């Protein structure tokens, strides 16, 4: 593949990149008051909404970190990417897509209605119903501790811990996920014990990571599954391709389309404020910003990524050769 630099992509030098990221960070902080931390999981309601941090790796280049990039927070829905990776590697796409679709739902992340009315399987693995279906495939085959060590490997972070307080808090208030679980059992999609499946799913949501751990994971996905640090392939090219495609089309729930237009980088959000952001072949980015927008995505995180995507040419569909070319003959 021709190096992106030779293709005309702007690879700014380190000083310039630090300036761009820092300025974007300062601007993005201004929208924090427009968001709110999640309170439906009481433990998340205790998190300071004013935090914002980013860690960005440009491939083959340096790492740039600004703000609260090493603060621990719960992974929440970002863990859906890890379960999906494990399921695809272990069982292959046919078995996975037997229980879950690959289409955007256009509904809230914890929606139940569309599942019963329009479809017999969850729309995709990155919403709650789909991730519960995937958890149902895994719970009898992989232990939580295996999942934890896989998460540590993918995030190149041995310090990832299980946040018991967040887990207990969510287990007390997860009636909606429980309802989804039993609905999936009634449709023969979850064939394992629903309560065990729910615990497995919620434990994975309760892993404590940092923006830096997410950037490490994003970097591996941006490098087609190979860890630059160890030189080892952790995920097959096929798994990584499927995961990135779903992140682009479904990773931001019912905000996925608007986000794709504004930012153009496959991303997965979580209600803990995390964003796992994979600029293919260009950069791996992790963001933490717990104040959320109406869709449950980090409000300042999106604002920050929009700025960075634009100034560092990270948008998947950006082509430097054509972007500013004037149209000579107007079509309309
Ligand atoms: N644990 C959360 C839930 O199941 C995860 C949701 C999210 O991050 N959007 O509701």
């Amino acid at each position: 593949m021709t190096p992106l630099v030779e293709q005309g992509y702007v690879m700014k030098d380190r000083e310039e990149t630090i300036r761009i990221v820092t300025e974007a960070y300062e601007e993005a902080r201004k929208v924090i008051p427009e968001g709110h931390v999640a309170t439906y999981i009481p433990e998340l309601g205790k998190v300071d909404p004013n935090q914002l941090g980013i860690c960005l790796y440009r491939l083959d280049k340096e790492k740039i970190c600004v703000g609260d990039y090493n603060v621990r927070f719960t992974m929440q829905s970002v863990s859906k990417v890890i379960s999906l990776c494990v399921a695809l590697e272990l069982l292959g796409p046919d078995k996975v897509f037997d229980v879950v679709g690959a289409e955007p739902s256009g509904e809230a992340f914890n929606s139940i209605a569309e599942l019963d009315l329009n479809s017999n399987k969850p729309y995709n693995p990155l919403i709650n119903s789909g991730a519960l279906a995937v958890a149902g495939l895994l719970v009898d085959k992989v232990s939580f501790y295996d999942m934890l060590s896989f998460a540590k490997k993918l995030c190149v972070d041995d310090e990832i811990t299980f946040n018991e307080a967040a887990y207990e808090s969510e287990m007390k208030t997860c009636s909606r996920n429980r309802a989804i679980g039993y609905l999936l059992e009634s449709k023969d999609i979850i064939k394992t014990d629903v309560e065990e499946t729910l615990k497995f799913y919620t434990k994975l949501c309760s892993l404590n990571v940092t923006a830096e751990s997410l950037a490490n994971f994003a970097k591996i996905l941006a490098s087609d599954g190979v860890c630059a640090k160890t030189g080892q392939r952790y995920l097959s090219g096929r798994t990584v391709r499927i995961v990135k495609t779903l992140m682009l089309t479904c990773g931001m729930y019912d905000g996925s389309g608007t986000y794709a237009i504004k930012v153009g980088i496959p991303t997965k959000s979580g209600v803990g404020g995390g964003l796992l952001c994979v600029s293919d072949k260009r950069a791996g980015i992790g963001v933490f910003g717990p104040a959320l927008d109406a869709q449950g995505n980090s409000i300042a995180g999106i604002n920050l990524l929009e700025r960075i995507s634009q100034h560092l040419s990270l948008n998947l569909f950006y082509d430097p050769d054509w972007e500013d070319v004037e149209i000579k003959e107007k079509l309309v």
Side-chain angles (χ1 to χ4, degrees):
M1 186 188 155
T2 323
L4 289 166
V5 184
E6 280 170 29
Q7 289 176 28
Y9 283 90
V10 198
M11 281 297 215
K12 315 252 191 241
D13 67 23
R14 184 174 167 78
E15 296 312 309
E16 174 72 346
T17 311
I18 292 177
R19 189 190 58 73
I20 288 170
V21 176
T22 312
E23 271 180 28
Y25 171 85
E26 292 303 339
E27 282 304 308
R29 285 200 63 86
K30 295 181 185 160
V31 305
I32 292 177
E34 292 167 33
H36 304 279
V37 291
T39 49
Y40 77 98
I41 300 173
E43 197 62 20
L44 294 185
K46 297 179 186 165
V47 173
D48 173 7
N50 289 309
Q51 301 175 92
L52 182 65
I54 179 166
C55 174
L56 173 140
Y57 279 106
R58 286 186 298 163
L59 302 190
D60 303 324
K61 285 230 167 190
E62 73 290 330
K63 167 170 100 174
I64 290 165
C65 298
V66 181
D68 302 301
Y69 68 92
N70 59 3
V71 171
R72 297 244 159 221
F73 59 94
T74 52
M75 220 179 198
Q76 300 301 336
S77 283
V78 180
S79 69
K80 292 174 166 105
V81 178
I82 296 186
S83 323
L84 178 61
C85 285
V86 173
L88 288 169
E89 290 294 318
L90 212 63
L91 309 165
D94 288 350
K95 289 223 167 67
V96 172
F97 292 112
D98 215 27
V99 299
V100 67
E103 307 302 335
S105 72
E107 299 286 337
F109 65 84
N110 57 0
S111 175
I112 194 167
E114 102 284 351
L115 175 61
D116 203 28
L117 293 175
N118 305 332
S119 149
N120 271 329
K121 58 184 183 184
Y123 274 77
N124 69 70
L126 300 183
I127 51 175
N128 288 14
S129 52
L132 281 160
V134 171
L137 290 178
L138 294 177
V139 65
D140 277 355
K141 298 179 183 68
V142 193
S143 72
F144 167 67
Y145 292 97
D146 286 340
M147 291 298 289
L148 175 58
S149 52
F150 199 56
K152 287 180 178 176
K153 223 169 153 181
L154 285 177
C155 293
V156 198
D157 179 1
D158 278 338
E159 313 289 304
I160 295 181
T161 49
F162 170 54
N163 186 329
E164 194 150 2
Y167 170 70
E168 297 295 344
S169 174
E170 181 163 9
M171 282 309 288
K172 281 191 197 126
T173 54
C174 68
S175 327
R176 223 183 152 80
N177 284 343
R178 181 167 277 117
I180 293 173
Y182 283 102
L183 181 62
L184 291 175
E185 184 187 46
S186 79
K187 289 173 182 281
D188 225 19
I189 286 181
I190 291 187
K191 296 192 175 80
T192 41
D193 184 88
V194 174
E195 291 301 320
E196 288 307 312
T197 303
L198 197 59
K199 284 185 200 157
F200 183 82
Y201 162 86
T202 312
K203 278 184 184 168
L204 294 174
C205 289
S206 309
L207 296 183
N208 268 330
V209 291
T210 63
E212 190 171 2
S213 351
L214 296 187
N216 286 328
F217 183 16
K219 189 180 169 194
I220 291 175
L221 293 172
S223 315
D224 286 322
V226 175
C227 174
K229 196 171 169 194
T230 60
Q232 271 182 293
R233 174 170 288 282
Y234 289 162
L235 298 165
S236 69
R238 180 179 68 179
T239 291
V240 172
R241 181 171 46 78
I242 294 173
V243 164
K244 283 188 282 208
T245 309
L246 286 169
M247 284 170 69
L248 181 71
T249 52
C250 315
M252 306 294 275
Y253 314 115
D254 42 336
S256 298
T258 309
Y259 179 85
I261 290 174
K262 278 190 185 166
V263 183
I265 308 177
T267 299
K268 180 74 204 89
S269 65
V271 287
L275 293 167
L276 168 77
C277 189
V278 183
S279 175
D280 204 34
K281 318 280 186 296
R282 297 177 216 178
I285 308 171
V287 173
F288 168 52
L292 308 176
D293 64 14
Q295 279 83 30
N297 300 320
S298 172
I299 194 160
I302 291 183
N303 189 290
L304 176 55
L305 288 169
E306 191 179 345
R307 293 168 192 282
I308 286 180
S309 171
Q310 192 188 344
H311 294 303
L312 295 180
S313 317
L314 297 179
N315 188 316
L316 185 60
F317 305 109
Y318 173 79
D319 186 328
D321 289 341
W322 302 111
E323 188 78 5
D324 300 319
V325 175
E326 290 259 331
I327 302 175
K328 291 220 173 71
E329 222 172 288
K330 299 262 189 215
L331 196 64
V332 280

